[in-house]
Amino acid sequence: MARSSSGESVLERVVRVLEAFTPETPALQVSEVARRAGLPVATASRLVAELVEHGLLARDADRRVRVGTRLWELGLRASPTLSLRETAMPVMEQLQAAVGHHTQLGVLDGEEVLFVERLSAERAVINYTRIAARLPLHASSSGLVLLAYGSGVLQERVLATPRHRYTAATVTDPGRLRVLLADVRKQGFALCPGHIHPDATGIAVPLRTADQQVVAALSVVVPNDARARGHLATLTAAARRAERRLIG
């Protein structure tokens, strides 16, 4: 594969161009793509033009660039979470109808939780997550569930690295986090009042396969008030229905 004078391959530079786009910044000027990718503007412009030609990127009327539908199509086709999403969706729809705020499905991806599906209601409580968005494992209810049932190596790696504090309620101290993870394993759920935003409570439970492997976290985000914990029973029942569908 052709490499630049810096030793980078073309593929490595293309990946950096694609990684410049985030859920918060889905459309960028080429100059901003170049800055985020750490590339000369001329190089970024050439790579963007080729990616647009192949449908992996697209240009808006104002010449800003965004991820193209072809890239979305390819990603969806290859996604290992596709069957999980399809299986969980009917249960999520029922859960969302009962909860009325946000219902989410998250999977472990590296040291983050990746949200592969989310249902929301109009005038629902604030929620920072979106489909294809990520959060660190220590901060959200879904992340804590996935971390609690993850490997010891993963847990030690997360505990050993700096952890962002979103609010005063976010648990960042390693000792407190160890206790919290033990509680999640003992109780079978994570309840996080105000951990991401003071107005919201996240509640998550694991989804297991037939061999008891945790493959995802099913969660709801509801107002941070005295009624929040009352959604736990509904969430838990939904998770059991989703597991039965997973097992087939």
Side-chain angles (χ1 to χ4, degrees), residues 151-212:
S151 69
V153 172
L154 172 64
Q155 292 173 15
E156 293 305 317
R157 192 162 62 238
V158 170
L159 288 167
T161 56
R163 289 164 295 281
H164 177 68
R165 184 183 296 277
Y166 290 85
T167 71
T170 309
V171 178
T172 58
D173 176 75
R176 288 186 58 206
L177 193 52
R178 287 185 191 277
V179 172
L180 182 55
L181 295 176
D183 288 343
V184 170
R185 290 189 293 270
K186 179 180 179 181
Q187 299 171 355
F189 66 89
L191 179 69
C192 299
H195 285 210
I196 296 290
H197 190 280
D199 295 340
T201 291
I203 314 170
V205 295
L207 289 186
R208 293 181 172 89
T209 57
D211 59 359
Q212 294 301 298

Side-chain angles (χ1 to χ4, degrees), residues 49-183:
E50 292 184 23
L51 290 167
V52 168
E53 182 179 349
H54 289 284
L56 301 178
L57 293 179
R59 293 188 192 273
D60 290 343
D62 61 1
R63 304 297 292 171
R64 292 193 304 169
V65 184
R66 65 175 62 246
V67 172
T69 55
R70 178 63 174 164
L71 185 60
W72 173 83
E73 176 191 355
L74 292 172
L76 187 62
R77 185 187 305 169
S79 173
T81 66
L82 180 58
S83 61
L84 177 63
R85 292 171 59 210
E86 290 177 341
T87 301
M89 180 56 76
V91 174
M92 291 182 66
E93 289 173 341
Q94 294 170 1
L95 177 60
Q96 176 62 18
V99 172
H101 284 272
H102 307 281
T103 301
Q104 305 174 152
L105 185 67
V107 298
L108 180 66
D109 190 26
E111 297 179 15
E112 298 174 307
V113 53
L114 171 65
F115 293 94
V116 297
E117 191 57 80
R118 190 187 86 166
L119 303 176
S120 297
E122 188 177 0
R123 294 186 293 278
V125 69
I126 187 169
N127 185 4
Y128 287 159
T129 62
R130 305 175 186 174
I131 296 175
R134 301 167 181 268
L135 283 173
L137 294 174
H138 74 280
S140 70
S141 59
S142 293
L144 287 171
V145 162
L146 295 170
L147 183 58
Y149 292 99
S151 69
V153 172
L154 172 64
Q155 292 173 15
E156 293 305 317
R157 192 162 62 238
V158 170
L159 288 167
T161 56
R163 289 164 295 281
H164 177 68
R165 184 183 296 277
Y166 290 85
T167 71
T170 309
V171 178
T172 58
D173 176 75
R176 288 186 58 206
L177 193 52
R178 287 185 191 277
V179 172
L180 182 55
L181 295 176
D183 288 343

Side-chain angles (χ1 to χ4, degrees), residues 214-233:
V214 174
V215 293
L218 182 64
S219 65
V220 295
V221 178
V222 297
N224 185 12
D225 57 28
R227 295 172 294 178
R229 192 182 183 94
H231 296 290
L232 177 59

